[in-house]
Amino acid sequence: DKAGHRHFMAKEIAEQPSRLTSALSFYLSDDGAIRLPEPGIDFTGVDRLTMVACGTASYACHVAKYWFEQLAGLPVDIDVASEFRYREPPLAARTTALFVSQSGETADTLAALRYCRGKADRILCVVNVAESSIARESDLALPILAGPEIGVASTKAFSCQLLVLGVLALEAARQRGRLDGAAYAEQVESLRALPGLVNHALSISDEAARIATRLAEARDVLFLGRGRMFPLALEGALKLKEISYIHAEAYASGELKHGPIALVDKSVPVIVMAPHDELFDKTVSNMQEVMARGGRVLLITDRAGAAAASHGVWETLVMPDVADLWAPILYAVPAQLLAYHTAMAKGTDVDQPRNLAKSVTVE
Ligand code: F6R
């Protein structure tokens, strides 16, 4: 049931405010305390977190790495499951392994989990399907409560994975004494603001559709982001290529001049994801290098970012203001909407892209 939408993907993008609200009410009590399913997680005994996933779920891990490291001072290793399992990496003492999967059935992720059995202190998972193999075989399963995701391209599962990982990072920071009560309460409040902000961000859909008619003419698209926004650039590129079949690549903004800038000319749209945060000026200087070479820049930013840096850019999408830390959750929305509308403009099968399956249970 598409609930009046043309595609499951559109429905699932639109559902994000209510799905995020469900996840928040599961993990936060009224007094603002974080509640984890029993028996909870003791982060004071963890020296290292090893995160393993595939595709979009692995990009959620990459965002979470910034959160765990910056907020909780907890070192994080990440690998895609198909590399991790065959590399057979040694796990350091006091390592907790964390697997992220929408379906809970991805073959490589499940095999990586089984490899960690007996090697990691503890096996956690962040899953959407609670009755899945990955959930069953973990010591503790943390549900993302996104509801069934039918569209092959993951949308609401990604934002809900991010939310749950953000909650975990906050809890880790609190337990490890890295956040005082006021700072913790402030971050909890900013998490609570997300459903409303995501709802507001959905209103850029018409503008994204207008821009998408131009993106649909491109053969290649580059995405750039720095820090927490780099994984969002990766996610934007993956979404675009999987449903519109346009070749898209993402780079950390600072890597541009180490090679990819050679690709830039006026036929390659460059999508820059940059809220006005502590790294904004650095990203803008990379953006100016693109424009100086004739590149057409689509800047996705907030009001302050647009006021500071819209000059000379091809298009600007203005997002609501959001706490710096949680911006990746909000900026998932324009990444999804641009891919969706570009696919619509090209007439591709959005919910059932060629060659792809929703659940990859073969290796
Ligand atoms: C992309 C997408 C895939 C999945 C990946 C992992 O839109 O949906 O990249 O994220 O196949 O699937 P799960 O999360 O079910 O393990």
Side-chain angles (χ1 to χ4, degrees):
D1 175 18
K2 297 179 194 149
H5 293 275
R6 276 179 75 177
H7 300 97
F8 283 108
M9 184 180 180
K11 169 178 177 263
E12 289 161 4
I13 291 172
E15 272 175 355
Q16 289 177 110
S18 69
R19 297 291 106 211
L20 291 167
T21 301
S22 307
L24 281 169
S25 43
F26 182 87
Y27 285 100
L28 297 180
S29 58
D30 290 342
D31 62 3
I34 289 172
R35 270 188 313 228
L36 299 180
E38 288 301 319
I41 306 166
D42 176 6
F43 282 104
T44 62
V46 181
D47 286 351
R48 185 164 279 276
L49 202 55
T50 292
M51 300 179 81
V52 182
C54 299
T56 288
S58 80
Y59 299 147
C61 298
H62 280 279
V63 174
K65 178 181 170 85
Y66 289 87
W67 292 333
F68 280 109
E69 293 186 348
Q70 289 173 355
L71 273 176
L74 186 56
V76 174
D77 296 315
I78 304 177
D79 213 338
V80 290
S82 56
E83 287 299 314
F84 181 89
R85 61 177 292 200
Y86 296 114
R87 203 174 69 249
E88 304 188 343
L91 298 189
R94 292 161 56 97
T95 294
T96 285
L98 173 54
F99 299 87
V100 180
S101 175
Q102 187 285 129
S103 62
E105 300 295 347
T106 299
D108 282 323
T109 310
L110 181 59
L113 182 157
R114 289 178 177 156
Y115 169 78
C116 287
R117 185 57 66 209
K119 298 184 185 70
D121 280 4
R122 196 131 206 267
I123 294 182
L124 309 175
C125 70
V126 168
V127 284
N128 195 30
V129 181
E131 310 79 30
S132 57
S133 307
I134 288 174
R136 253 192 325 273
E137 296 193 26
S138 297
D139 299 325
L140 182 65
L142 300 145
I144 62 168
L145 304 141
E149 192 180 65
I150 312 290
V152 163
S154 189
T155 53
K156 62 178 179 171
F158 179 64
S159 50
C160 290
Q161 284 162 353
L162 288 177
L163 183 76
V164 172
L165 292 166
V167 164
L168 284 184
L170 255 186
E171 176 61 10
R174 187 192 64 77
Q175 288 184 17
R176 293 160 67 87
R178 304 269 304 198
L179 272 186
D180 65 28
Y184 172 82
E186 186 188 326
Q187 294 304 345
V188 167
E189 277 321 298
S190 325
L191 280 178
R192 283 199 207 275
L194 280 166
L197 295 175
V198 167
N199 195 39
H200 184 164
L202 291 170
S203 66
I204 63 151
S205 188
D206 289 348
E207 240 190 304
R210 182 182 58 76
I211 295 169
T213 59
R214 310 287 304 283
L215 287 179
E217 296 161 3
R219 204 186 60 170
D220 309 284
V221 176
L222 290 180
F223 284 77
L224 298 180
R226 200 180 262 272
R228 295 178 287 268
M229 300 311 288
F230 170 42
L232 264 288
L234 291 164
E235 170 63 1
L238 177 63
K239 244 21 10 144
L240 187 66
K241 69 186 128 188
E242 75 179 319
I243 62 171
S244 78
Y245 315 145
I246 293 174
H247 171 239
E249 293 297 331
Y251 289 96
S253 307
E255 277 292 292
L256 191 68
K257 55 168 92 43
H258 298 286
I261 199 160
L263 296 172
V264 171
D265 65 22
K266 62 183 185 332
S267 71
V268 182
V270 180
I271 301 180
V272 179
M273 309 188 79
H276 195 265
D277 60 13
E278 73 283 6
L279 299 174
F280 181 76
D281 292 344
K282 300 272 177 218
T283 305
V284 165
S285 73
N286 304 131
M287 186 178 100
Q288 280 157 352
E289 289 158 6
V290 167
M291 296 194 305
R293 283 154 187 87
R296 273 188 300 163
V297 169
L298 161 55
L299 174 62
I300 308 179
T301 186
D302 47 28
R303 274 175 306 176
S310 287
H311 184 73
V313 308
W314 170 54
E315 292 281 358
T316 308
L317 272 176
V318 179
M319 305 297 294
D321 291 338
V322 59
D324 288 347
L325 213 49
W326 313 126
I329 302 179
L330 187 65
Y331 282 64
V333 174
Q336 297 161 353
L337 288 173
L338 284 171
Y340 177 74
H341 288 298
T342 304
M344 294 283 282
K346 294 197 73 174
T348 52
D349 186 344
V350 172
D351 281 335
Q352 205 47 261
R354 67 186 182 201
N355 310 340
L356 290 171
K358 180 67 185 160
S359 182
V360 184
T361 51
V362 291
E363 294 165 13

